[in-house]
Amino acid sequence: QVQLVESGGGLVQAGGSLRLSCAASGRTFSNYGMAWFRQAPGKEREFVATIMWGGGSIYYADSVKGRFTISRDNAKNTVYLQMNSLKPEDTAVYSCAAKIWKISQFAHDYDYWGQGTQVTVSS
């Protein structure tokens, strides 16, 4: 089992920045591909970014490319999502997910999920 706990969400004005963290425990964190997804009210869960277990492969959704940066610190068992130039349409609950040895842009491929953290961007 892997336990994931997100933090860092909040209310920010458009154009501002937030840094989300996802702390993992329970298994060897460095063996897991990690991802961030988000879900806005009334919408389906949406892929945001993913990072390979060694950090060598990173992918972003087109909607966040150039504004968001995913990173990980395997020594701290933590994955981060730095979000800059935030827009009102970025408002959602952001969740991190883990998948052993692989990464994917599809939520159903992930084995473990955090509870999510709310990000609200005001215009």
Side-chain angles (χ1 to χ4, degrees), residues 48-75:
V48 176
T50 187
I51 183 167
M52 193 59 171
W53 58 273
S57 294
I58 293 174
Y59 300 95
Y60 297 97
D62 288 342
S63 58
V64 307
K65 203 172 293 182
R67 299 188 298 122
F68 291 10
T69 303
I70 189 171
S71 61
R72 65 189 296 162
D73 185 338
N74 288 341

Side-chain angles (χ1 to χ4, degrees), residues 1-112:
Q1 291 288 333
V2 174
Q3 292 78 44
L4 304 173
V5 179
E6 302 95 336
S7 61
L11 173 64
V12 64
Q13 288 188 334
S17 298
L18 281 175
R19 187 195 197 201
L20 305 183
S21 299
C22 172
S25 61
R27 289 288 177 92
T28 305
F29 177 72
S30 59
N31 291 345
Y32 285 80
M34 301 296 296
W36 288 95
F37 288 80
R38 67 186 182 186
Q39 188 166 20
K43 294 187 177 181
E44 293 187 354
R45 184 177 285 170
E46 176 188 22
F47 166 75
V48 176
T50 187
I51 183 167
M52 193 59 171
W53 58 273
S57 294
I58 293 174
Y59 300 95
Y60 297 97
D62 288 342
S63 58
V64 307
K65 203 172 293 182
R67 299 188 298 122
F68 291 10
T69 303
I70 189 171
S71 61
R72 65 189 296 162
D73 185 338
N74 288 341
K76 295 182 178 180
N77 290 353
T78 302
V79 63
Y80 304 98
L81 185 68
Q82 177 66 44
M83 305 185 295
N84 299 328
S85 302
L86 282 161
K87 305 175 182 180
E89 51 264 43
D90 294 319
T91 295
V93 174
Y94 285 71
S95 300
C96 65
K99 176 176 177 61
I100 193 164
W101 295 125
K102 296 182 179 180
I103 55 175
S104 169
Q105 298 182 27
F106 300 102
H108 61 75
D109 285 334
Y110 285 84
D111 304 308
Y112 303 101

